[in-house]
Structure formats: structure tokens, C-alpha cells
């Protein structure tokens, strides 16, 4: 991710997951922090990131 548009795309996809209450993207590191009330399924998160055009590492 290199710009605000990239971050917005990832944020949009991740916030669409049920139970997600917050998403923070650090463009400098490429790290994304997802906040939810319950544990999230890694496959669901990975699919959302892929849908945004990136991959979960």
C-alpha cells in the first residue's frame, strides 16, 4: 500500500466483516490493525484483503 486510496480500499473491505469495529492502516509499514469484539477467522480476513487487491502475510 502506498497511498490513502489503498488504505481506504483495505479499510472498506475489512470493515465489511461482521464484528469489526475498527481498522487502522499504517502506510509506512504496510501493517493493518483490525479491532473486533470476537476473534476473526483468518481466512475471512485474508479474503477481504485479497478483495482489496493485496495479500495477507
Amino acid at each position: 500500500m502506498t497511498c490513502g486510496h489503498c488504505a481506504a480500499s483495505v479499510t472498506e473491505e475489512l470493515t465489511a466483516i461482521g464484528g469489526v469495529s475498527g481498522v487502522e492502516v499504517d502506510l509506512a509499514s504496510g501493517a493493518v490493525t483490525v479491532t473486533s469484539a470476537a476473534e476473526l477467522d483468518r481466512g475471512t480476513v485474508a479474503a477481504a484483503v485479497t478483495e482489496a487487491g493485496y495479500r495477507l502475510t
Side-chain angles (χ1 to χ4, degrees):
M1 292 181 281
T2 58
C3 67
H5 178 73
C6 302
S9 294
V10 170
T11 299
E12 179 180 346
E13 293 298 332
L14 289 172
T15 55
I17 298 172
V20 170
S21 58
V23 176
E24 292 182 35
V25 177
D26 180 31
L27 287 176
S29 68
V32 178
T33 302
V34 180
T35 304
S36 68
E39 186 173 344
L40 298 173
D41 175 71
R42 183 177 173 84
T44 301
V45 173
V49 172
T50 298
E51 182 66 25
Y54 299 93
R55 64 185 166 94
L56 191 63
T57 58

